[in-house]
Amino acid sequence: MKARPAVALVTVVLAGSLAGFYLYDRFNGGSTSSCSDPASISSHVYHSYRLQIVKSCITASGTVDRVIEEADGDVHVRLILDQAYSNLTNSANDQYQYGDLVVEIICVNTPSQTDAIPACQNYTNQIPVPSAGQHITITGPYVLDTDHYDWAEIHPVYSLVIG
């Protein structure tokens, strides 16, 4: 008689654990295997100390509003997020980035900004640069840029899919 409650308890605990792992994975940016840092991209971020990590890796999608080449060699993509990801921007994005999420593809060009040159040494960008109007899906660290009003960014981009 006592075996049945024990079996039921073990079954409930196992089911709850599996549900917990599923929900954690679903709402915390997916599994780490899909969020790897290819070619150690993060080690080539210029002045990385300024980036406050909110989530080590997320995936989001939206439509490219604007593509801007920066002196540090990076390309800033201003992204109008799909509705499902609209919670990723903050008031600084609203005020300074026209409500868009900043997406940074690092070391696309040779830096003209002297102090940024070392960050791009021994790294060749493999991330495609989209054009305005294209729909993209990006994966990378979700951060606040403390040098720029704490606006939200995905920086650096680990992967970018156009379409």
Side-chain angles (χ1 to χ4, degrees):
M1 290 272 185
K2 290 188 179 189
R4 285 189 183 197
V7 170
L9 179 62
V10 168
T11 303
V12 168
V13 168
L14 285 174
S17 295
L18 287 173
F21 284 123
Y22 169 79
L23 291 172
Y24 178 82
D25 186 62
R26 173 76 171 95
F27 294 106
N28 285 290
S31 67
T32 55
S33 62
S34 65
C35 278
S36 65
D37 181 357
S40 298
I41 293 173
S42 292
S43 68
H44 297 280
V45 172
Y46 161 70
H47 288 176
S48 61
Y49 61 82
R50 76 187 193 280
L51 302 178
Q52 177 187 340
I53 296 175
V54 177
K55 279 195 173 184
S56 61
C57 199
I58 65 167
T59 297
S61 61
T63 302
V64 176
D65 187 20
R66 189 157 179 220
V67 178
I68 305 162
E69 294 186 0
E70 298 289 340
D72 64 2
D74 296 354
V75 169
H76 286 201
V77 176
R78 285 206 338 242
L79 189 65
I80 303 167
L81 291 164
D82 290 342
Q83 185 62 38
Y85 303 103
S86 62
N87 65 320
L88 295 177
T89 55
N90 61 29
S91 60
N93 293 82
D94 292 340
Q95 187 171 356
Y96 300 104
Q97 296 297 325
Y98 302 90
D100 296 342
L101 181 70
V102 175
V103 174
E104 283 218 35
I105 306 170
I106 65 166
C107 302
V108 174
N109 302 306
T110 302
S112 59
Q113 185 176 320
T114 307
D115 61 345
I117 292 171
C120 290
Q121 288 179 337
N122 302 315
Y123 174 72
T124 303
N125 172 59
Q126 300 297 314
I127 305 295
V129 176
S131 300
Q134 289 184 309
H135 188 269
I136 63 172
T137 301
I138 56 339
T139 299
Y142 177 59
V143 303
L144 299 178
D145 189 331
T146 62
D147 276 2
H148 295 105
Y149 312 101
D150 289 341
W151 64 51
E153 304 185 354
I154 291 183
H155 188 167
V157 173
Y158 290 167
S159 70
L160 186 150
V161 177
I162 299 171

